[in-house]
Amino acid sequence: MATKANGKVKELEGEVYYPSEEVVAQARLQDWEAVAEKARKDLEGFWADEANELEWFKKWDKVLDDSNKPFFKWFTGGRVNIVHNCIDRHLNSYRKNKLALIWESEDGKLERTFSYHALNREVNRMANIIKAMGVMKGDRVTIYMGRVPEIVFAMLACAKIGAVHSVVFGGFSVDSLQGRIEDSESKLVITMDGSYNNGKVVELKRTVDEALKRCPSVENVIVVKRVGHDVPMEAGRDHWYHDMLALPIANGKCPTEVLDAEDPLYILYTSGSTGKPKAIVHTHGGYMVGTYSTLKYVFDINDEDRWWCAADPGWVTGHSYIVYGPLLNGATSFMFEGGPMFPYPNRWWQCVEKYGITILYTAPTAIRGLMRFGEAWPNKHDLSSLRLLGSVGEPINPEAWKWYYRVIGKERCPIMDTWWQTETGMFMITPTPSVPLKPGSGTRPFFGQEAEIVDEQGNPVADDQEGYLVLKNPWPAMLRTIYGDPDRYVNQYWSKNPGKYTTGDSAKRDSDGYFWIIGRVDDVIKVSGHRLGTAEVESALVSHPAVAEAAAIGLHHEVKGQGIHTFVLLRNGFAPSPELAEELRQHVATHMGPIARPEDVKFVDKLPKTRSGKIMRRVLKARAQGLPEGDISTLEE
Ligand code: WT7
């Protein structure tokens, strides 16, 4: 990549990294403007062309049905199944014996690979087992697993038979799991005896047992053996997966259910401004087209690529870009069980070298964490297979961007900084490889999208002014609703700025039309790119007998982006002490999961509240940062 425009490209303001001639020559899409223009003029035509690259049992009657806004529908009348396009269609081509999935264990001792043929067989076997447990089209299945190939089989097996998967991140703990199983009324839970995290075992099955004490809907639990720990198995309810695989029902043939384009594919819980996490609903048809198309254009996936999305399948990034997007594109996807630092901070670079990874997609928090260990670790390894890099989850600070660009990409690999959300299902603000980059900006909206920065009243603000980020057009992978709570869907996303989608982020647009995300404007804290709600942390704290009231805020953290800081009002009879503070931090970790462990617990006599009793986290945050408290006219006496 060059830092000067090559004459054909317009000169941009600020610090710009122009793509090299070599990158442009390689890119599938050299004329970004032409495609953007086509999509601007004919949104439905653009998406119909994308959808036509995939196979449908029956084509749609209408691309976009906006007759009942904001309950948009896509490809209505179309008959499809995302699994047909992820797997089945490749079996009739040269891709049948191409690797779909490569997996390596945390300790590097195990390596498992699956061709499209083999993946099909595994998915069919799992689908037959799930069916035999009485799971039918539309039923919800909770998947609570670590990063092993079986989590991919489980998701695809559900989709194949029309069941709706609800993956709960394996780093969450009992309260988070229980709430999500209960809300989704899952009949079946698929889990593991345990998973590995930095050499230690995470006791997934024991957490499931704890959660199921309060989840009457669950009839069966499938347990994949990974760590070999002794776990209690409840007769009639719990089944070892390897035992089920030995049964005649677990054969490799299972028809792919013919579904409606708008049939739900999955729900995925995410934190919002208030209350409990909400279940975002994604569908077979639109989500399929959106994830296929974005991965194709943005990461320029080709048959020769070895794609590595280093997220966890438990988050939307893993859903869209470990599982669905790569398989829809017939790509080879690499999945690594462990993290970047264990046992040494060269673990990822070993994998890049060993498997010849060509595209690496990760989060700023991982980059910042690795940066601290210096350049010697990556420099020990041959990273020359890499041709593109990606970033997601939070704004990437220019310092981390440049380190990633120079030390990992050797100044050859453009960085695709992709802004999107659980709700959007697919990349929304993102470059493609031929687009000039500015470190820290996701550049411009993807084809067919227009973004805008508005003020409190919903009026567009001037360039370089901070405001609220909204999206103006519907897109195929958009969430359809919040499961079980359509009113909340309308209120949360569509009422503040009528006719536009409210993202919950603040941002700026510069004079080149490039967007710069600043952060969340609601009570969502981004810890290492993971989205956590202040409300969840607070209710975990209040569930401790010593706590009367609690408030949680996010403050800047060197590596994590944001860390959780809490303020606690004790009940009568309890006294503040460092031991109690530690106990409360642990309490949150035990109930929600280690990622939610607060950085600190401060004991207070009073929390700033509005006269109607709402905690003013904004005031706590300003005080903690030594900033002015802003408008406090609603603060109670
Ligand atoms: C929020 C959504 C979608 C994948 C992972 C997160 C922040 C996401 C970026 C980026 C700046 C980003 C936003 C957004 N975010 N990607 N490239 N640059 N901020 O999904 O957990 O639903 O969180 O993550 O604040 O609203 P999520």
Side-chain angles (χ1 to χ4, degrees):
M1 193 146 41
T3 47
K4 205 133 192 62
N6 65 13
K8 282 176 265 174
V9 187
K10 181 173 139 214
E11 292 266 1
L12 303 179
E13 298 284 324
E15 189 177 8
V16 188
Y17 288 68
Y18 294 93
S20 67
E21 305 239 326
E22 193 193 342
V23 164
V24 175
Q26 267 183 18
R28 161 183 274 113
L29 193 116
Q30 299 182 12
D31 197 348
W32 187 91
E33 289 298 342
V35 182
E37 182 58 20
K38 172 183 151 189
R40 206 173 295 132
K41 284 199 180 122
D42 181 10
L43 179 76
E44 293 189 44
F46 171 78
W47 285 115
D49 285 352
E50 295 302 308
N52 270 321
E53 292 181 11
L54 297 165
E55 290 182 3
W56 297 73
F57 300 123
K58 177 185 168 283
K59 287 276 165 81
W60 52 92
D61 302 322
K62 212 166 170 2
V63 176
L64 170 62
D65 174 356
D66 59 0
S67 58
N68 184 26
K69 290 179 205 164
F71 295 93
F72 296 91
K73 290 181 178 168
W74 285 83
F75 306 106
T76 45
R79 306 285 283 168
V80 74
N81 186 313
I82 196 168
V83 176
H84 176 83
N85 281 294
C86 285
I87 302 177
D88 307 8
R89 88 179 165 109
H90 303 307
L91 302 178
N92 301 319
S93 79
Y94 64 93
R95 286 187 181 134
K96 179 175 181 180
N97 294 315
K98 175 181 172 173
L99 290 186
L101 185 65
I102 304 175
W103 175 85
E104 180 165 304
S105 63
E106 180 174 84
D107 63 9
K109 289 183 184 148
L110 295 173
E111 185 186 318
R112 297 168 72 191
T113 56
F114 301 88
S115 64
Y116 276 88
H117 170 82
L119 178 65
N120 182 49
R121 185 162 175 275
E122 297 292 346
V123 170
N124 285 352
R125 296 171 87 199
M126 176 104 58
N128 282 327
I129 291 171
I130 295 176
K131 266 205 226 171
M133 299 202 154
V135 173
M136 295 197 286
K137 184 183 159 188
D139 287 344
R140 276 80 54 211
V141 174
T142 294
I143 300 175
Y144 179 62
M145 299 174 76
R147 279 194 292 267
V148 293
E150 283 78 6
I151 191 173
V152 179
F153 309 159
M155 291 165 72
L156 294 165
C158 289
K160 181 160 188 131
I161 65 169
V164 178
H165 60 71
S166 168
V167 180
V168 178
F169 172 54
F172 275 134
S173 199
V174 60
D175 290 1
S176 312
L177 176 63
Q178 189 265 332
R180 286 158 170 80
I181 297 176
E182 197 177 20
D183 184 77
S184 64
E185 297 171 300
S186 291
K187 273 186 169 172
L188 172 69
V189 175
I190 308 177
T191 188
M192 300 159 71
D193 54 351
S195 65
Y196 288 106
N197 183 27
N198 295 335
K200 290 195 279 295
V201 171
V202 182
E203 300 282 353
L204 296 176
K205 173 63 165 64
R206 286 178 190 273
T207 304
V208 169
D209 289 341
E210 224 14 73
L212 291 196
K213 288 182 183 159
R214 288 171 289 152
C215 296
S217 64
V218 175
E219 295 163 4
N220 291 292
V221 178
I222 296 177
V223 188
V224 173
K225 192 179 219 132
R226 169 69 186 104
V227 300
H229 269 199
D230 200 21
V231 293
M233 296 290 280
E234 194 180 299
R237 187 194 73 182
D238 301 349
H239 318 271
W240 283 111
Y241 185 54
H242 57 265
D243 287 342
M244 307 289 301
L245 280 176
L247 301 175
I249 47 142
N251 64 61
K253 271 194 177 155
C254 174
T256 301
E257 199 73 33
V258 176
L259 302 171
D260 201 88
E262 281 290 307
D263 275 337
L265 167 63
Y266 68 77
I267 56 177
L268 184 58
Y269 287 84
T270 191
S271 304
S273 2
T274 50
K276 53 180 189 149
K278 43 195 187 195
I280 302 303
V281 178
H282 284 295
T283 60
H284 272 261
Y287 177 82
M288 171 183 83
V289 175
T291 53
Y292 164 76
S293 174
T294 45
L295 190 61
K296 179 186 71 174
Y297 285 121
V298 174
F299 285 101
D300 218 345
I301 294 275
N302 290 311
D303 258 324
E304 314 77 66
D305 276 315
R306 288 219 160 159
W307 159 257
W308 182 7
C309 166
D312 191 279
W315 306 101
V316 75
T317 312
H319 281 57
S320 297
Y321 299 111
I322 294 178
V323 182
Y324 292 110
L327 296 174
L328 288 166
N329 278 279
T332 299
S333 197
F334 173 65
M335 181 159 94
F336 175 49
E337 185 180 39
M341 323 279 189
F342 182 82
Y344 300 106
N346 65 334
R347 196 61 187 90
W348 276 7
W349 317 129
Q350 286 177 328
C351 290
V352 168
E353 178 174 325
K354 178 170 172 191
Y355 296 102
I357 301 299
T358 57
I359 314 171
L360 174 66
Y361 183 45
T362 183
T365 182
I367 305 299
R368 289 192 298 264
L370 288 161
M371 260 170 85
R372 292 195 305 172
F373 293 95
E375 298 175 27
W377 290 104
N379 287 347
K380 278 189 217 304
H381 298 276
D382 178 4
L383 306 181
S384 61
S385 57
L386 289 170
R387 67 176 187 91
L388 279 175
L389 300 172
S391 175
V392 62
E394 53 174 316
I396 181 164
N397 41 311
E399 197 197 344
W401 194 100
K402 287 177 200 169
W403 190 87
Y404 195 24
Y405 181 66
R406 182 175 58 81
V407 179
I408 306 307
K410 313 293 181 202
E411 306 188 344
R412 278 188 304 106
C413 309
I415 299 174
M416 303 295 106
D417 181 356
T418 60
W419 177 91
W420 57 298
Q421 307 178 302
T422 307
E423 291 87 342
T424 70
M426 64 181 223
F427 308 145
M428 298 306 292
I429 297 180
T430 175
T432 65
S434 60
V435 163
L437 303 174
K438 301 188 188 187
S441 168
T443 76
R444 291 165 292 181
F446 187 73
F447 307 127
Q449 193 48 260
E450 281 173 87
E452 202 171 58
I453 311 291
V454 299
D455 63 17
E456 195 61 49
Q457 284 72 44
N459 302 314
V461 304
D463 284 347
D464 299 317
Q465 294 293 307
E466 183 174 343
Y468 302 100
L469 175 69
V470 298
L471 302 175
K472 290 171 75 176
N473 299 333
W475 64 99
M478 65 198 300
L479 76 164
R480 294 302 190 268
T481 187
I482 292 172
Y483 178 73
D485 203 347
D487 293 343
R488 194 170 169 196
Y489 165 71
V490 177
N491 291 333
Q492 184 91 39
Y493 305 106
W494 302 97
S495 35
K496 195 153 192 295
N497 301 283
K500 295 170 189 167
Y501 170 85
T502 300
T503 64
D505 277 8
S506 64
K508 291 180 191 176
R509 184 176 57 200
D510 70 18
S511 51
D512 291 319
Y514 277 40
F515 286 83
W516 300 78
I517 306 296
I518 296 161
R520 300 289 307 187
V521 284
D522 52 10
D523 293 321
V524 167
I525 307 179
K526 278 260 152 176
V527 183
S528 302
H530 301 325
R531 184 161 154 183
L532 298 169
T534 51
E536 294 153 80
V537 179
E538 290 160 5
S539 53
L541 281 168
V542 174
S543 74
H544 188 282
V547 178
E549 276 191 277
I553 59 169
L555 293 176
H556 175 76
H557 184 285
E558 191 84 23
V559 174
K560 299 179 188 172
Q562 283 192 305
I564 301 175
H565 296 260
T566 61
F567 301 84
V568 161
L569 213 107
L570 292 175
R571 284 181 191 279
N572 279 340
F574 290 90
S577 71
E579 293 73 31
L580 182 57
E582 190 46 41
E583 186 180 323
L584 292 175
R585 290 177 66 220
Q586 186 50 43
H587 181 79
V588 176
T590 310
H591 282 254
M592 282 185 71
I595 48 162
R597 187 194 304 272
E599 301 298 317
D600 61 14
V601 173
K602 282 203 172 67
F603 297 103
V604 294
D605 302 330
K606 212 173 171 200
L607 288 168
K609 284 192 191 163
T610 61
R611 262 161 260 147
S612 59
K614 266 185 86 184
I615 297 171
M616 295 182 81
R617 296 186 191 82
R618 175 174 65 75
V619 173
L620 285 170
K621 209 167 161 167
R623 283 179 192 166
Q625 294 168 301
L627 295 171
E629 291 180 9
D631 178 10
I632 49 168
S633 56
T634 57
L635 191 70
E636 67 170 1
E637 283 315 303

